[in-house]
Coordinates of all heavy atoms in Angstrom, one line a residue:
M1 N 0.8 -1.2 0.0 CA 0.0 0.0 0.0 C 0.9 1.2 0.0 O 1.8 1.4 0.8 CB -0.9 0.0 1.3 CG -1.6 1.3 1.5 SD -2.5 1.4 3.1 CE -3.7 0.1 2.9
K2 N 0.7 2.1 -0.9 CA 1.4 3.4 -1.0 C 0.6 4.5 -0.5 O -0.5 4.7 -0.9 CB 1.9 3.7 -2.4 CG 3.1 3.0 -2.9 CD 3.6 3.6 -4.2 CE 5.0 3.1 -4.5 NZ 5.6 3.7 -5.6
L3 N 1.2 5.2 0.5 CA 0.5 6.4 1.1 C 1.5 7.5 1.2 O 2.7 7.2 1.4 CB -0.1 6.1 2.5 CG -1.2 5.1 2.5 CD1 -1.4 4.7 4.0 CD2 -2.4 5.6 1.9
R4 N 1.1 8.7 1.1 CA 1.9 9.8 1.3 C 1.8 10.3 2.8 O 0.8 10.1 3.4 CB 1.5 11.0 0.4 CG 1.8 10.6 -1.1 CD 1.4 11.7 -2.0 NE 1.8 11.4 -3.4 CZ 1.0 10.7 -4.2 NH1 -0.2 10.3 -3.9 NH2 1.4 10.5 -5.5
Y5 N 2.9 11.0 3.2 CA 3.0 11.5 4.5 C 1.7 12.3 4.9 O 1.1 12.0 6.0 CB 4.2 12.5 4.6 CG 4.4 13.1 5.9 CD1 5.1 12.5 6.9 CD2 3.9 14.4 6.2 CE1 5.4 13.1 8.1 CE2 4.2 15.0 7.4 CZ 4.9 14.4 8.4 OH 5.1 15.0 9.6
W6 N 1.3 13.2 4.1 CA 0.1 14.0 4.4 C -1.2 13.2 4.5 O -2.2 13.7 5.0 CB 0.0 15.2 3.5 CG -0.1 14.8 2.0 CD1 0.9 14.7 1.1 CD2 -1.3 14.5 1.3 NE1 0.5 14.3 -0.1 CE2 -0.9 14.1 0.0 CE3 -2.6 14.4 1.6 CZ2 -1.8 13.8 -1.0 CZ3 -3.5 14.0 0.6 CH2 -3.1 13.7 -0.7
E7 N -1.2 12.0 3.9 CA -2.4 11.2 4.0 C -2.6 10.5 5.4 O -3.6 10.0 5.7 CB -2.4 10.1 2.9 CG -2.5 10.7 1.5 CD -2.4 9.6 0.4 OE1 -1.3 9.1 0.3 OE2 -3.4 9.4 -0.2
L8 N -1.5 10.4 6.2 CA -1.6 9.8 7.5 C -1.5 10.8 8.6 O -2.3 10.7 9.6 CB -0.4 8.8 7.6 CG -0.4 7.6 6.7 CD1 0.9 6.8 6.8 CD2 -1.6 6.7 7.1
V9 N -0.6 11.8 8.5 CA -0.5 12.7 9.6 C -1.8 13.5 9.8 O -2.3 14.0 8.9 CB 0.7 13.7 9.4 CG1 0.8 14.8 10.4 CG2 2.0 12.9 9.5
G10 N -2.3 13.6 11.0 CA -3.5 14.3 11.4 C -4.7 13.4 11.4 O -5.8 13.8 11.9
K11 N -4.6 12.2 10.9 CA -5.8 11.3 10.9 C -6.1 10.8 12.4 O -5.2 10.6 13.1 CB -5.6 10.0 10.1 CG -5.8 10.2 8.6 CD -5.9 8.9 7.9 CE -6.1 9.1 6.4 NZ -7.5 9.3 6.1
K12 N -7.3 10.7 12.7 CA -7.8 10.1 14.0 C -7.5 8.6 14.0 O -7.6 8.0 13.0 CB -9.2 10.4 14.2 CG -9.6 11.8 14.4 CD -11.1 11.9 14.7 CE -11.5 13.4 14.8 NZ -12.9 13.6 15.0
V13 N -7.1 8.2 15.2 CA -6.8 6.8 15.4 C -7.7 6.2 16.4 O -7.9 6.7 17.5 CB -5.3 6.6 15.9 CG1 -5.0 5.1 16.1 CG2 -4.4 7.2 14.8
I14 N -8.4 5.0 16.1 CA -9.4 4.4 16.9 C -8.9 3.0 17.2 O -8.5 2.2 16.3 CB -10.7 4.3 16.1 CG1 -11.1 5.6 15.5 CG2 -11.8 3.7 17.1 CD1 -11.4 6.7 16.5
S15 N -8.9 2.6 18.5 CA -8.5 1.2 18.9 C -9.6 0.2 18.5 O -10.7 0.6 18.1 CB -8.2 1.2 20.4 OG -9.4 1.4 21.1
A16 N -9.3 -1.1 18.6 CA -10.2 -2.1 18.2 C -11.5 -2.1 19.1 O -12.5 -2.5 18.6 CB -9.5 -3.5 18.3
D17 N -11.4 -1.6 20.3 CA -12.5 -1.5 21.2 C -13.2 -0.1 21.1 O -14.1 0.2 21.9 CB -12.2 -1.8 22.6 CG -11.1 -0.9 23.2 OD1 -10.3 -0.3 22.4 OD2 -10.9 -0.8 24.4
G18 N -12.9 0.6 20.0 CA -13.6 1.9 19.8 C -13.2 3.1 20.5 O -13.8 4.2 20.4
Q19 N -12.1 3.0 21.2 CA -11.5 4.1 22.0 C -10.8 5.1 21.0 O -9.9 4.6 20.2 CB -10.6 3.7 23.1 CG -11.2 2.8 24.1 CD -12.2 3.6 25.0 OE1 -11.9 4.6 25.5 NE2 -13.4 3.0 25.2
K20 N -11.0 6.4 21.2 CA -10.3 7.4 20.4 C -8.9 7.6 21.1 O -8.9 8.0 22.3 CB -11.1 8.7 20.3 CG -12.3 8.5 19.6 CD -13.2 9.8 19.5 CE -14.5 9.5 18.9 NZ -15.4 10.7 18.9
L21 N -7.8 7.5 20.3 CA -6.5 7.6 20.9 C -5.9 8.9 20.6 O -4.9 9.3 21.2 CB -5.6 6.5 20.4 CG -6.1 5.1 20.7 CD1 -5.1 4.1 20.0 CD2 -6.1 4.8 22.2
G22 N -6.4 9.7 19.7 CA -5.8 10.9 19.2 C -5.5 10.9 17.8 O -6.1 10.1 17.0
R23 N -4.7 11.8 17.3 CA -4.3 11.9 15.9 C -2.9 11.5 15.7 O -2.1 11.7 16.6 CB -4.6 13.3 15.4 CG -6.1 13.7 15.4 CD -6.2 15.1 14.9 NE -7.6 15.5 15.0 CZ -8.5 15.4 14.0 NH1 -8.1 14.9 12.8 NH2 -9.7 15.8 14.1
V24 N -2.6 11.1 14.5 CA -1.2 10.8 14.1 C -0.4 12.1 14.1 O -0.8 13.1 13.4 CB -1.1 10.2 12.7 CG1 0.4 9.9 12.3 CG2 -1.9 8.9 12.7
A25 N 0.7 12.2 14.9 CA 1.5 13.4 15.0 C 2.8 13.2 14.1 O 3.2 14.2 13.6 CB 1.9 13.7 16.4
E26 N 3.3 12.0 14.0 CA 4.5 11.8 13.3 C 4.6 10.3 12.9 O 4.0 9.5 13.4 CB 5.7 12.1 14.2 CG 7.0 12.3 13.6 CD 7.1 13.3 12.5 OE1 7.3 14.5 12.8 OE2 6.8 13.0 11.3
L27 N 5.4 10.1 11.9 CA 5.7 8.8 11.3 C 7.1 8.4 11.6 O 8.0 9.3 11.4 CB 5.5 8.8 9.8 CG 4.1 9.3 9.3 CD1 4.1 9.3 7.8 CD2 3.0 8.5 9.9
I28 N 7.4 7.2 11.9 CA 8.7 6.7 12.1 C 9.0 5.7 10.9 O 8.1 4.8 10.6 CB 8.9 5.9 13.4 CG1 8.5 6.7 14.6 CG2 10.3 5.3 13.5 CD1 9.4 8.0 14.8
T29 N 10.0 6.0 10.1 CA 10.3 5.2 8.9 C 11.6 4.6 9.0 O 12.5 4.9 9.8 CB 10.2 6.1 7.7 OG1 11.2 7.1 7.8 CG2 8.9 6.8 7.5
R30 N 11.8 3.6 8.0 CA 13.1 3.0 7.8 C 13.3 2.9 6.3 O 12.3 2.8 5.5 CB 13.3 1.7 8.5 CG 12.6 0.6 7.9 CD 13.0 -0.7 8.5 NE 12.0 -1.7 7.9 CZ 11.5 -2.7 8.6 NH1 11.7 -2.8 9.9 NH2 10.7 -3.5 8.1
K31 N 14.5 2.9 5.8 CA 14.8 2.8 4.4 C 14.6 1.4 4.0 O 15.1 0.4 4.6 CB 16.2 3.3 4.1 CG 16.5 3.5 2.7 CD 17.7 4.2 2.4 CE 17.8 4.4 0.9 NZ 18.6 5.5 0.5
H32 N 13.9 1.2 2.9 CA 13.7 -0.1 2.3 C 13.9 0.0 0.8 O 13.1 0.5 0.0 CB 12.2 -0.6 2.6 CG 11.9 -1.9 2.1 ND1 12.3 -3.0 2.8 CD2 11.2 -2.4 1.1 CE1 11.9 -4.1 2.2 NE2 11.2 -3.8 1.1
G33 N 15.2 -0.4 0.4 CA 15.6 -0.2 -1.0 C 15.7 1.3 -1.2 O 16.4 2.0 -0.5
D34 N 15.0 1.8 -2.2 CA 15.1 3.3 -2.5 C 13.9 4.0 -2.0 O 13.7 5.2 -2.4 CB 15.3 3.5 -4.0 CG 14.1 3.0 -4.9 OD1 13.3 2.2 -4.3 OD2 14.0 3.3 -6.0
Q35 N 13.1 3.4 -1.2 CA 11.9 4.0 -0.6 C 11.9 4.0 0.9 O 12.7 3.3 1.5 CB 10.6 3.3 -1.1 CG 10.4 3.3 -2.6 CD 9.2 2.6 -3.0 OE1 8.6 1.9 -2.2 NE2 8.7 2.8 -4.2
L36 N 11.1 4.8 1.5 CA 10.9 4.8 3.0 C 9.7 4.0 3.3 O 8.7 4.1 2.6 CB 10.8 6.2 3.5 CG 12.0 7.1 3.4 CD1 11.7 8.5 4.0 CD2 13.2 6.5 4.2
Q37 N 9.8 3.2 4.4 CA 8.7 2.3 4.8 C 8.3 2.8 6.2 O 9.1 2.9 7.1 CB 9.1 0.9 4.8 CG 8.1 -0.1 5.3 CD 8.6 -1.5 5.3 OE1 9.8 -1.8 5.5 NE2 7.8 -2.5 4.9
V38 N 7.0 3.0 6.4 CA 6.5 3.4 7.8 C 6.5 2.2 8.6 O 6.0 1.2 8.3 CB 5.1 4.0 7.7 CG1 4.6 4.3 9.1 CG2 5.1 5.3 6.8
V39 N 7.2 2.3 9.8 CA 7.2 1.2 10.7 C 6.4 1.5 12.0 O 6.1 0.6 12.8 CB 8.7 0.8 11.1 CG1 9.4 0.2 9.9 CG2 9.5 2.0 11.7
E40 N 6.1 2.8 12.3 CA 5.5 3.1 13.5 C 4.8 4.5 13.3 O 5.3 5.4 12.6 CB 6.5 3.2 14.6 CG 6.0 3.3 16.0 CD 7.1 3.2 17.0 OE1 7.8 4.2 17.3 OE2 7.4 2.1 17.4
L41 N 3.6 4.6 14.0 CA 2.9 5.9 14.1 C 3.1 6.4 15.5 O 2.9 5.7 16.4 CB 1.4 5.7 13.7 CG 1.0 5.1 12.4 CD1 -0.5 5.0 12.4 CD2 1.6 5.9 11.3
Q42 N 3.3 7.7 15.6 CA 3.3 8.4 16.9 C 2.0 9.1 17.0 O 1.6 10.0 16.2 CB 4.5 9.3 17.1 CG 5.8 8.6 17.1 CD 7.0 9.4 17.4 OE1 6.9 10.6 17.2 NE2 8.0 8.8 17.9
I43 N 1.2 8.8 18.1 CA -0.1 9.2 18.3 C -0.3 10.1 19.5 O 0.4 9.7 20.5 CB -1.1 8.0 18.4 CG1 -0.9 7.0 17.3 CG2 -2.5 8.5 18.5 CD1 -1.3 7.4 16.0
G44 N -1.1 11.0 19.5 CA -1.5 11.7 20.7 C -0.9 13.1 20.9 O 0.0 13.5 20.2
A45 N -1.4 13.8 21.9 CA -1.0 15.2 22.2 C 0.5 15.2 22.6 O 1.2 16.2 22.2 CB -1.9 15.7 23.3
G46 N 0.9 14.3 23.4 CA 2.4 14.3 23.8 C 3.3 14.2 22.6 O 4.3 14.9 22.5
S47 N 2.9 13.4 21.6 CA 3.7 13.3 20.4 C 3.7 14.6 19.6 O 4.7 15.0 19.0 CB 3.2 12.1 19.5 OG 3.4 10.9 20.2
L48 N 2.5 15.2 19.5 CA 2.4 16.5 18.8 C 3.2 17.6 19.5 O 4.0 18.4 18.8 CB 1.0 16.9 18.7 CG 0.7 18.3 18.0 CD1 1.2 18.3 16.6 CD2 -0.7 18.6 18.0
I49 N 3.2 17.6 20.8 CA 3.9 18.6 21.6 C 5.4 18.5 21.3 O 6.1 19.4 21.1 CB 3.6 18.5 23.1 CG1 2.1 19.0 23.3 CG2 4.6 19.3 23.9 CD1 1.9 20.4 23.0
A50 N 5.9 17.2 21.3 CA 7.3 17.0 21.0 C 7.7 17.4 19.6 O 8.7 18.0 19.4 CB 7.6 15.5 21.3
R51 N 6.8 17.1 18.7 CA 7.0 17.5 17.3 C 7.2 19.0 17.1 O 8.1 19.4 16.3 CB 5.9 17.0 16.4 CG 6.1 17.2 15.0 CD 4.9 16.6 14.2 NE 5.0 17.0 12.8 CZ 4.0 17.2 12.0 NH1 2.8 17.1 12.5 NH2 4.1 17.6 10.8
I52 N 6.5 19.8 17.8 CA 6.6 21.2 17.6 C 7.6 21.9 18.5 O 7.8 23.1 18.5 CB 5.2 21.9 17.7 CG1 4.6 21.7 19.0 CG2 4.3 21.5 16.6 CD1 3.3 22.5 19.2
G53 N 8.3 21.0 19.3 CA 9.4 21.5 20.1 C 9.2 21.8 21.6 O 10.1 22.3 22.2
F54 N 8.1 21.5 22.1 CA 7.8 21.8 23.5 C 8.0 20.5 24.3 O 7.1 20.0 25.0 CB 6.4 22.4 23.8 CG 6.2 23.7 23.1 CD1 5.4 23.9 22.1 CD2 6.9 24.8 23.6 CE1 5.2 25.1 21.5 CE2 6.7 26.1 23.0 CZ 5.9 26.2 22.0
K55 N 9.1 19.9 24.3 CA 9.4 18.6 24.9 C 9.2 18.5 26.4 O 8.8 17.5 26.9 CB 10.7 18.1 24.5 CG 10.8 17.8 23.0 CD 12.1 17.2 22.6 CE 12.1 17.0 21.1 NZ 13.2 16.3 20.6
K56 N 9.4 19.6 27.0 CA 9.3 19.6 28.5 C 7.9 19.4 29.0 O 7.6 19.0 30.1 CB 9.9 20.9 29.2 CG 9.1 22.1 29.0 CD 9.8 23.3 29.7 CE 9.0 24.5 29.6 NZ 9.6 25.6 30.4
F57 N 6.9 19.7 28.1 CA 5.5 19.5 28.5 C 5.0 18.1 28.0 O 3.9 17.7 28.4 CB 4.6 20.6 27.8 CG 5.0 22.0 28.2 CD1 5.6 22.8 27.4 CD2 4.7 22.4 29.5 CE1 5.9 24.1 27.8 CE2 5.0 23.7 29.9 CZ 5.6 24.5 29.1
R58 N 5.8 17.4 27.3 CA 5.3 16.1 26.7 C 5.0 15.1 27.8 O 4.0 14.3 27.6 CB 6.4 15.6 25.8 CG 6.0 14.3 25.1 CD 7.1 13.8 24.2 NE 6.6 12.6 23.5 CZ 7.3 11.9 22.6 NH1 8.5 12.3 22.3 NH2 6.8 10.9 22.1
K59 N 5.7 15.1 28.8 CA 5.5 14.0 29.9 C 4.1 14.2 30.5 O 3.6 13.3 31.1 CB 6.6 14.1 30.9 CG 6.7 15.3 31.7 CD 7.8 15.3 32.7 CE 8.0 16.6 33.3 NZ 9.2 16.7 34.1
E60 N 3.4 15.3 30.4 CA 2.1 15.5 31.0 C 1.0 15.1 30.1 O -0.2 15.2 30.5 CB 2.0 17.0 31.3 CG 3.1 17.5 32.3 CD 3.1 19.0 32.4 OE1 2.1 19.7 32.0 OE2 4.0 19.5 33.0
M61 N 1.3 14.7 28.9 CA 0.2 14.4 27.9 C 0.4 13.0 27.3 O 1.5 12.5 27.2 CB 0.3 15.4 26.7 CG 0.1 16.8 27.2 SD 0.0 17.9 25.9 CE -0.3 19.5 26.7
P62 N -0.7 12.4 27.0 CA -0.7 11.0 26.5 C -0.1 10.9 25.1 O -0.3 11.8 24.3 CB -2.1 10.5 26.5 CG -2.9 11.8 26.4 CD -2.1 12.9 27.1
S63 N 0.6 9.8 24.9 CA 1.1 9.5 23.5 C 1.3 8.0 23.4 O 1.5 7.3 24.4 CB 2.4 10.3 23.2 OG 3.4 9.8 24.0
Y64 N 1.2 7.5 22.2 CA 1.4 6.1 21.9 C 2.3 6.0 20.7 O 2.2 6.8 19.7 CB 0.0 5.5 21.6 CG -1.0 5.6 22.7 CD1 -1.9 6.7 22.7 CD2 -1.1 4.6 23.7 CE1 -2.8 6.8 23.7 CE2 -2.0 4.7 24.7 CZ -2.9 5.8 24.7 OH -3.8 5.9 25.7
N65 N 3.1 4.9 20.7 CA 3.9 4.6 19.5 C 3.2 3.3 19.0 O 3.3 2.2 19.7 CB 5.3 4.4 19.8 CG 6.0 5.7 20.1 OD1 5.5 6.7 19.9 ND2 7.2 5.6 20.6
I66 N 2.6 3.3 17.8 CA 1.9 2.2 17.3 C 2.7 1.5 16.2 O 2.9 2.2 15.1 CB 0.5 2.7 16.7 CG1 -0.2 3.6 17.7 CG2 -0.3 1.5 16.2 CD1 -0.7 2.9 19.0
P67 N 3.1 0.3 16.3 CA 3.8 -0.4 15.2 C 2.8 -0.6 14.1 O 1.6 -0.8 14.2 CB 4.1 -1.8 15.8 CG 4.1 -1.6 17.3 CD 3.1 -0.5 17.6
W68 N 3.3 -0.5 12.9 CA 2.5 -0.6 11.6 C 1.7 -1.9 11.6 O 0.6 -1.9 11.1 CB 3.5 -0.5 10.4 CG 2.7 -0.4 9.1 CD1 2.5 -1.4 8.2 CD2 2.0 0.7 8.6 NE1 1.7 -1.0 7.2 CE2 1.4 0.4 7.4 CE3 1.8 2.0 9.1 CZ2 0.6 1.2 6.6 CZ3 1.0 2.9 8.3 CH2 0.5 2.5 7.1
Q69 N 2.3 -3.0 12.2 CA 1.6 -4.3 12.1 C 0.3 -4.2 12.9 O -0.6 -5.1 12.8 CB 2.5 -5.4 12.7 CG 3.7 -5.6 11.9 CD 4.9 -4.7 12.3 OE1 4.7 -3.7 13.1 NE2 6.0 -4.8 11.6
Q70 N 0.1 -3.3 13.8 CA -1.1 -3.2 14.6 C -2.2 -2.4 13.9 O -3.3 -2.2 14.5 CB -0.8 -2.6 16.0 CG 0.0 -3.5 16.8 CD 0.3 -3.0 18.2 OE1 0.2 -1.8 18.5 NE2 0.7 -3.9 19.1
I71 N -2.0 -1.9 12.7 CA -3.0 -1.2 12.0 C -3.9 -2.2 11.2 O -3.4 -3.0 10.5 CB -2.4 -0.2 11.0 CG1 -1.6 0.9 11.8 CG2 -3.4 0.5 10.1 CD1 -0.8 1.8 11.0
G72 N -5.2 -2.0 11.5 CA -6.2 -2.9 10.8 C -6.6 -2.4 9.4 O -6.5 -3.1 8.4
R73 N -7.0 -1.1 9.4 CA -7.4 -0.5 8.1 C -7.3 1.0 8.2 O -7.3 1.6 9.3 CB -8.8 -0.9 7.7 CG -9.9 -0.3 8.5 CD -11.3 -0.9 8.0 NE -12.3 -0.7 9.0 CZ -13.1 0.3 9.1 NH1 -13.2 1.2 8.2 NH2 -14.0 0.3 10.1
I74 N -7.2 1.6 7.0 CA -7.1 3.0 6.9 C -8.1 3.5 6.0 O -8.2 3.1 4.8 CB -5.7 3.5 6.5 CG1 -4.6 2.9 7.4 CG2 -5.6 5.0 6.3 CD1 -3.2 3.1 6.9
D75 N -9.0 4.4 6.4 CA -9.9 5.2 5.5 C -9.9 6.6 6.0 O -8.8 7.2 6.1 CB -11.2 4.5 5.3 CG -11.9 4.2 6.7 OD1 -11.9 5.0 7.6 OD2 -12.6 3.1 6.7
K76 N -11.0 7.2 6.3 CA -11.1 8.5 6.9 C -10.4 8.6 8.3 O -9.9 9.6 8.7 CB -12.5 9.0 7.0 CG -13.1 9.3 5.6 CD -14.5 9.9 5.8 CE -15.0 10.2 4.4 NZ -16.3 10.8 4.5
Q77 N -10.3 7.4 8.9 CA -9.7 7.3 10.2 C -8.8 6.0 10.1 O -8.9 5.3 9.2 CB -10.7 7.1 11.4 CG -11.6 8.3 11.5 CD -12.6 8.1 12.6 OE1 -12.3 8.5 13.7 NE2 -13.8 7.6 12.3
I78 N -7.9 5.9 11.1 CA -7.1 4.7 11.2 C -7.6 3.8 12.3 O -7.8 4.3 13.4 CB -5.6 5.1 11.5 CG1 -5.1 5.9 10.3 CG2 -4.7 3.8 11.7 CD1 -3.7 6.5 10.5
Y79 N -7.9 2.5 12.0 CA -8.5 1.6 12.9 C -7.4 0.5 13.3 O -6.8 -0.1 12.4 CB -9.7 0.9 12.3 CG -10.8 1.9 12.1 CD1 -10.9 2.5 10.8 CD2 -11.7 2.2 13.1 CE1 -11.9 3.5 10.6 CE2 -12.7 3.1 12.8 CZ -12.8 3.7 11.6 OH -13.8 4.7 11.4
L80 N -7.2 0.3 14.5 CA -6.2 -0.6 15.0 C -6.8 -2.0 15.2 O -8.0 -2.1 15.4 CB -5.6 -0.1 16.3 CG -4.9 1.3 16.3 CD1 -4.3 1.6 17.7 CD2 -3.9 1.3 15.2
K81 N -5.9 -3.0 15.2 CA -6.3 -4.4 15.5 C -6.3 -4.7 17.0 O -6.7 -5.7 17.4 CB -5.3 -5.3 14.9 CG -5.2 -5.2 13.4 CD -4.1 -6.2 12.9 CE -3.8 -6.1 11.4 NZ -2.7 -6.9 11.0
V82 N -5.8 -3.8 17.8 CA -5.7 -4.0 19.3 C -6.5 -3.0 20.1 O -6.8 -1.9 19.6 CB -4.2 -3.9 19.7 CG1 -3.4 -5.0 19.1 CG2 -3.6 -2.6 19.4
N83 N -6.9 -3.5 21.3 CA -7.6 -2.6 22.2 C -6.7 -1.6 22.9 O -5.5 -1.9 23.0 CB -8.3 -3.5 23.3 CG -9.4 -4.3 22.7 OD1 -10.0 -4.1 21.7 ND2 -9.7 -5.4 23.4
K84 N -7.3 -0.5 23.3 CA -6.5 0.5 24.0 C -5.7 -0.1 25.2 O -4.6 0.3 25.4 CB -7.4 1.6 24.4 CG -6.6 2.8 25.1 CD -7.6 3.9 25.5 CE -6.8 5.0 26.2 NZ -7.7 6.1 26.6
A85 N -6.4 -1.0 26.0 CA -5.7 -1.5 27.2 C -4.5 -2.3 26.8 O -3.6 -2.5 27.7 CB -6.7 -2.4 27.9
N86 N -4.3 -2.8 25.6 CA -3.1 -3.5 25.2 C -2.0 -2.7 24.6 O -1.0 -3.2 24.2 CB -3.5 -4.6 24.2 CG -4.5 -5.6 24.8 OD1 -4.5 -5.9 26.0 ND2 -5.3 -6.3 24.0
L87 N -2.2 -1.4 24.6 CA -1.2 -0.5 24.1 C -0.5 0.2 25.2 O -1.1 0.7 26.1 CB -1.9 0.7 23.2 CG -2.5 0.3 21.9 CD1 -3.3 1.4 21.4 CD2 -1.5 -0.2 20.9
P88 N 0.9 0.1 25.2 CA 1.6 0.7 26.3 C 1.6 2.2 26.0 O 1.9 2.7 24.9 CB 3.0 0.1 26.2 CG 3.1 -0.3 24.7 CD 1.7 -0.7 24.3
Q89 N 1.2 3.0 27.0 CA 1.3 4.4 26.9 C 2.7 4.9 27.1 O 3.4 4.3 28.1 CB 0.4 5.1 27.9 CG 0.2 6.6 27.7 CD -0.9 7.2 28.4 OE1 -1.9 6.5 28.8 NE2 -0.8 8.5 28.8
E90 N 3.2 5.7 26.3 CA 4.6 6.2 26.4 C 4.9 7.0 27.7 O 4.0 7.8 28.1 CB 5.0 7.0 25.2 CG 5.1 6.3 23.9 CD 6.1 5.2 23.9 OE1 7.3 5.5 24.2 OE2 5.8 4.0 23.7
K91 N 5.9 6.7 28.4 CA 6.3 7.4 29.6 C 7.5 8.3 29.2 O 8.5 7.8 28.6 CB 6.8 6.5 30.7 CG 5.7 5.5 31.1 CD 4.5 6.1 31.7 CE 3.6 5.0 32.2 NZ 2.2 5.5 32.3
H92 N 7.4 9.6 29.5 CA 8.5 10.5 29.1 C 9.1 11.1 30.4 O 8.5 11.7 31.2 CB 7.9 11.6 28.3 CG 7.2 11.1 27.1 ND1 7.8 10.6 26.0 CD2 5.8 11.0 26.8 CE1 6.9 10.2 25.1 NE2 5.7 10.4 25.6
V93 N 10.4 10.8 30.5 CA 11.2 11.3 31.7 C 12.2 12.2 31.1 O 13.0 11.8 30.2 CB 11.8 10.1 32.5 CG1 12.6 10.6 33.6 CG2 10.7 9.1 32.9
E94 N 12.3 13.4 31.6 CA 13.3 14.3 31.2 C 14.0 15.0 32.3 O 13.6 15.0 33.4 CB 12.6 15.4 30.3 CG 11.9 14.7 29.1 CD 11.4 15.7 28.1 OE1 12.0 16.7 27.9 OE2 10.5 15.3 27.4

């Protein structure tokens, strides 16, 4: 599946049990041949705060790192294969 950066960033993410987790703030990629492959989505207010440079406030806000394999489907929103309870919430210590 080929997607562009702007097609993922900002999309709402919903867990398998219907919980809203936030929006995609950033993509983690790795090089695969001559292309980049998304391996993880960074979700939530904490990830967005870090992206725009306010890292000292990140620890106060929720964020999730979602491996690409946990994505069930993508349309207007991104739906995960796992429940919210099974996702480790990122802990930020600075």
Side-chain angles (χ1 to χ4, degrees):
M1 170 188 298
K2 276 193 167 186
L3 294 169
R4 292 180 175 88
Y5 178 85
W6 57 266
E7 292 177 293
L8 293 172
V9 172
K11 278 193 182 280
K12 291 180 183 177
V13 179
I14 312 295
S15 64
D17 58 341
Q19 298 290 315
K20 295 177 184 176
L21 302 175
R23 293 179 183 266
V24 176
E26 194 60 86
L27 308 176
I28 305 299
T29 61
R30 73 171 174 223
K31 191 166 181 156
H32 186 74
D34 61 346
Q35 297 181 345
L36 292 177
Q37 180 180 35
V38 176
V39 294
E40 192 172 86
L41 304 178
Q42 292 185 338
I43 311 292
S47 296
L48 178 61
I49 292 296
R51 180 177 174 215
I52 60 176
F54 297 111
K55 293 183 182 186
K56 71 178 186 177
F57 299 110
R58 182 177 184 178
K59 64 183 173 186
E60 301 169 12
M61 299 185 178
S63 65
Y64 301 91
N65 290 349
I66 310 295
W68 187 257
Q69 297 83 357
Q70 292 182 341
I71 296 173
R73 73 182 157 98
I74 300 171
D75 51 40
K76 290 183 180 183
Q77 301 180 87
I78 297 173
Y79 296 90
L80 302 181
K81 297 176 185 175
V82 295
N83 293 335
K84 181 179 179 180
N86 296 334
L87 293 172
Q89 189 167 333
E90 292 297 303
K91 304 291 185 206
H92 305 286
V93 179
E94 301 192 29

